[in-house]
Amino acid sequence: MHAPVLVLKDSLKRESGTKVHHANIQASKAVADIIRTTLGPRSMLKMLLDASGGIVVTNDGNAILRELDVAHPAAKSMIELSRTQDEEVGDGTTSVIILAGEMLHVAEAFIDKSYHPTVICRAYSKALEDALAVLDKIAMSIDVNDRATMLGLVKSCIGTKFTSQFGDLIADLAIDATSTVGVDLGQGLREVDIKKYIKVEKIPGGQLDDSKVLKGVMFNKDVVAPGKMRRKIVNPRIILLDSPLEYKKGENQTNAELVKEEDWAVLLKMEEEYIQNMCMQILKFKPDLVITEKGLSDLACHYLSKAGVSAIRRLRKTDNNRIAKACGAVIVNRPDELQESDVGTGAGLFEVKKIGDEFFAFIVDCKEPKACTVLLRGASKDLLNEVERNLQDAMSVARNILKNPKLVPGGGATELTVSATLKQKSSSIEGIEKWPYEAAAIAFEAIPRTLAQNCGVNVIRTMTALQGKHANGDNAWTGIDGNTGEICDMKERKIWDAYNVKAQTFKTAIEAASMLLRIDDIVSGIKKKQAPGAGPSKPTVETEADADGEQILPD
């Protein structure tokens, strides 16, 4: 009577790894399902409650997953994927999750048939190599100086975003901003630092059409003495400091014994002379505007305003760096080390304007600014936040194209071409790896399939028609128009993707799927709350019974 039970237990024990695989795959699929509906131009928006109780309305894959609080480690690592994708290329955050989820989903069948995960991973890495080779073959180069092509490209990349309804606005802003801060490193290389040199200022009020890229920078500051100092200077000479223009206090406790009453006057005079000295060294260079990151005393303010110089104090270091790049100034540490070459003369206009009830300083009309500010106006904070997220994606796309000017077709056409090519190749692969390789080829179809679902067309008919068109391998540019759901030529509709976004998506998704497949045990190192007096707890190994009952995603 007892023997079968023993056998049963034994077989269960050996299946422990398989159970964990299933749990991981379920968790990953659950993450993919959350953002599946946000792919494509006809996608749905998600409304999220963030930790502080505010709301976020977005269809940006990364922004949604960032707000999720997930218990399962496999789901956590899926969420990291979209973050990686966002940091690396800034676009394709939704695609990478969907593709990774699908790769795991097709692997499930093989795990059930007791294939070893290593075999599946080997087939996957072969598929990845071949997929990248296909990308190279169908990619086409473009001229980055052709504004119309760039505009079409950025537009098609952010056509899936909420702001695509405002026409060319965001694409225009993104191209202007990135082409302003691009620096040629020689040998055909371009460096475009979006994070450091492009600042997005969001000011509620006005209309979205009032948004613009400034040929220079703006920051939320007013001059130190508004009544006495000029608020508008044409062709200003700008000096940037990161030292305080006030009397330096003693580092450690300083004692000064004053014997006579006159000693007070002597001390004060010393302080005043020190500050006057500093101001004179600055005024030698006839600046019109002095900006410091630190404090600026009333006395220094008096000397500067008497000389007709405007001053701004306590500016952020990042803003100061941007001003330096925009007007050609050098940030100086000590006023006595100033040189003529440190003075910024590249700006055409310094002006302080009042927007709403705050004052903003503008340093604009710069000759060759290598930093800029994008001024966004709009109806509400939520709208502006979403516009900013879309603008970041658009700028990343523009940056990717400037760095690597190659295009691949969008609308699922690339994935279908890759899928068709891999299917043909799979027949020549020998051994057990043939089947997982073929499954990986089918997994690529998840992207066009999801696009078709989100357009609301008949998925099976559309996919069959597309597969038929791609099967003979001659029209690689046939895909789905995400707005109408029609099957059409991507070249005609100008639906494109940046080459390195696609390549990064494939690499990240397949490598992550392989990594999750290689996990056969989940060990928890989190200490459980113990009853007082109990001994130290041991790390627990998750068994097959817990793996399925694990809470995958929050309710």
Side-chain angles (χ1 to χ4, degrees):
M1 243 342 252
H2 290 290
V5 180
L6 278 174
V7 172
L8 188 69
K9 273 195 174 164
D10 204 38
S11 66
L12 266 177
K13 200 166 180 170
R14 277 210 307 274
E15 267 188 1
S16 156
T18 314
K19 288 284 186 185
V20 171
H21 283 131
H22 280 306
N24 286 349
I25 291 171
Q26 290 314 122
S28 309
K29 281 197 330 211
V31 173
D33 285 342
I34 290 176
I35 58 168
R36 194 175 290 275
T37 55
T38 65
L39 186 80
R42 282 276 167 261
S43 60
M44 310 302 283
L45 289 163
K46 303 271 183 198
M47 194 176 217
L48 310 163
L49 272 172
D50 64 11
S52 56
I55 55 167
V56 182
V57 179
T58 180
N59 67 354
D60 179 25
N62 185 39
I64 295 166
L65 294 175
R66 231 184 7 226
E67 302 296 343
L68 282 186
D69 183 25
V70 178
H72 198 286
K76 274 201 179 97
S77 71
M78 284 289 280
I79 289 171
E80 280 299 314
L81 290 192
S82 89
R83 193 167 299 151
T84 312
Q85 183 80 1
D86 195 53
E87 305 236 324
E88 197 61 39
V89 288
D91 193 23
T93 49
T94 310
S95 319
V96 75
I97 298 281
I98 292 175
L99 195 54
E102 193 66 20
M103 286 288 170
L104 286 165
H105 173 63
V106 295
E108 204 167 8
F110 299 110
I111 288 194
D112 287 343
K113 289 179 188 156
S114 305
Y115 272 55
H116 196 281
T118 318
V119 176
I120 305 175
C121 294
R122 261 207 310 269
Y124 275 10
S125 61
K126 226 179 238 171
L128 174 60
E129 274 173 38
D130 294 343
L132 293 175
V134 175
L135 274 188
D136 284 330
K137 207 167 72 191
I138 60 171
M140 80 179 196
S141 297
I142 55 156
D143 174 20
V144 282
N145 299 322
D146 178 5
R147 172 91 190 195
T149 315
M150 287 288 285
L151 196 69
L153 181 89
V154 176
K155 252 181 85 175
S156 70
C157 284
I158 58 160
T160 62
K161 307 275 186 251
F162 169 71
T163 42
S164 58
Q165 63 202 42
F166 305 118
D168 296 357
L169 176 76
I170 295 291
D172 265 328
L173 292 178
I175 291 174
D176 285 344
T178 41
S179 45
T180 301
V181 301
V183 183
D184 276 320
L185 300 175
Q187 292 156 354
L189 290 174
R190 273 180 82 80
E191 182 53 53
V192 185
D193 196 332
I194 295 177
K195 281 206 169 69
K196 224 172 175 179
Y197 298 126
I198 301 179
K199 173 86 182 286
V200 179
E201 280 280 0
K202 302 175 296 219
I203 304 177
Q207 291 178 332
L208 252 176
D209 302 345
D210 302 339
S211 308
K212 56 177 180 286
V213 175
L214 302 173
K215 278 247 169 275
V217 285
M218 67 174 278
F219 43 95
N220 191 344
K221 286 270 179 222
D222 193 2
V223 290
V224 182
K228 300 179 187 159
M229 292 179 172
R230 289 179 292 172
R231 274 190 169 157
K232 184 170 183 182
I233 306 171
V234 179
N235 293 333
R237 287 169 60 81
I238 301 175
I239 286 183
L240 302 177
L241 302 169
D242 66 353
S243 60
L245 289 181
E246 51 196 353
Y247 190 69
K248 200 167 164 209
K249 311 232 176 3
E251 289 289 325
N252 38 18
Q253 282 188 328
T254 318
N255 286 337
E257 281 191 29
L258 306 180
V259 186
K260 303 196 291 292
E261 207 176 304
E262 293 81 61
D263 292 355
W264 251 131
V266 173
L267 257 180
L268 288 172
K269 190 125 189 69
M270 278 165 65
E271 279 195 23
E272 285 174 15
E273 278 172 359
Y274 173 77
I275 290 177
Q276 186 177 8
N277 215 347
M278 270 171 44
C279 291
M280 289 311 141
Q281 272 161 343
I282 291 172
L283 294 173
K284 267 197 307 208
F285 292 93
K286 304 217 170 10
D288 298 301
L289 176 63
V290 174
I291 299 177
T292 174
E293 292 172 28
K294 306 283 195 307
L296 190 144
S297 68
D298 292 349
L299 191 63
C301 171
H302 161 76
Y303 285 128
L304 292 174
S305 64
K306 218 164 83 175
V309 176
S310 299
I312 290 173
R313 65 180 165 200
R314 298 209 174 87
L315 187 74
R316 284 201 194 104
K317 179 122 199 111
T318 48
D319 283 338
N320 212 5
N321 286 338
R322 270 189 284 274
I323 297 172
K325 280 278 188 188
C327 69
V330 176
I331 301 174
V332 180
N333 292 53
R334 293 167 51 180
D336 43 349
E337 287 177 1
L338 266 167
Q339 297 170 344
E340 179 57 41
S341 58
D342 298 335
V343 182
T345 53
L349 176 68
F350 162 74
E351 192 174 13
V352 177
K353 283 190 201 158
K354 193 172 185 185
I355 303 181
D357 44 9
E358 295 198 47
F359 286 96
F360 288 89
F362 290 82
I363 296 177
V364 286
D365 298 341
C366 300
K367 289 193 192 84
E368 281 205 350
K370 286 286 164 236
C372 64
T373 302
V374 183
L375 176 59
L376 290 182
R377 307 299 309 269
S380 72
K381 266 211 172 96
D382 288 332
L383 178 81
L384 277 176
N385 286 339
E386 177 65 358
V387 172
E388 184 194 13
R389 275 191 291 271
N390 296 171
L391 180 66
Q392 288 293 355
D393 282 3
M395 290 193 303
S396 300
V397 169
R399 177 193 67 184
N400 291 333
I401 294 301
L402 286 173
K403 279 183 155 180
N404 186 357
K406 279 177 19 188
L407 299 185
V408 290
T414 305
E415 283 82 4
L416 281 162
T417 309
V418 167
S419 177
T421 316
L422 293 188
K423 276 182 199 161
Q424 283 168 355
K425 276 206 174 156
S426 70
S427 54
S428 62
I429 287 180
E430 289 175 4
I432 192 171
E433 288 169 26
K434 174 181 175 163
W435 310 112
Y437 183 93
E438 200 171 299
I442 294 167
F444 277 106
E445 289 171 3
I447 302 277
R449 189 170 63 240
T450 308
L451 269 175
Q453 276 166 355
N454 292 344
C455 305
V457 292
N458 185 324
V459 179
I460 297 173
R461 270 187 203 157
T462 310
M463 285 306 291
T464 315
L466 275 170
Q467 283 160 350
K469 282 196 183 321
H470 277 271
N472 49 13
D474 52 351
N475 38 7
W477 287 74
T478 312
I480 302 174
D481 180 340
N483 285 308
T484 56
E486 302 171 272
I487 294 175
C488 53
D489 187 342
M490 297 288 116
K491 262 188 192 144
E492 286 167 19
R493 296 282 168 107
K494 290 195 164 57
I495 302 176
W496 292 320
D497 259 330
Y499 167 82
N500 54 354
V501 172
K502 269 281 177 276
Q504 185 68 33
T505 306
F506 290 177
K507 284 180 202 161
T508 313
I510 293 183
E511 281 167 14
S514 300
M515 185 188 75
L516 285 172
L517 284 174
R518 284 211 172 103
I519 296 169
D520 69 344
D521 258 328
I522 298 176
V523 182
S524 163
I526 302 168
K527 289 191 174 67
K528 294 272 193 295
K529 284 205 174 76
Q530 291 174 312
S537 67
K538 292 188 181 126
T540 58
V541 175
E542 184 171 286
T543 60
E544 65 275 11
D546 315 333
D548 278 353
E550 176 70 73
Q551 183 190 10
I552 291 172
L553 287 167
D555 293 333

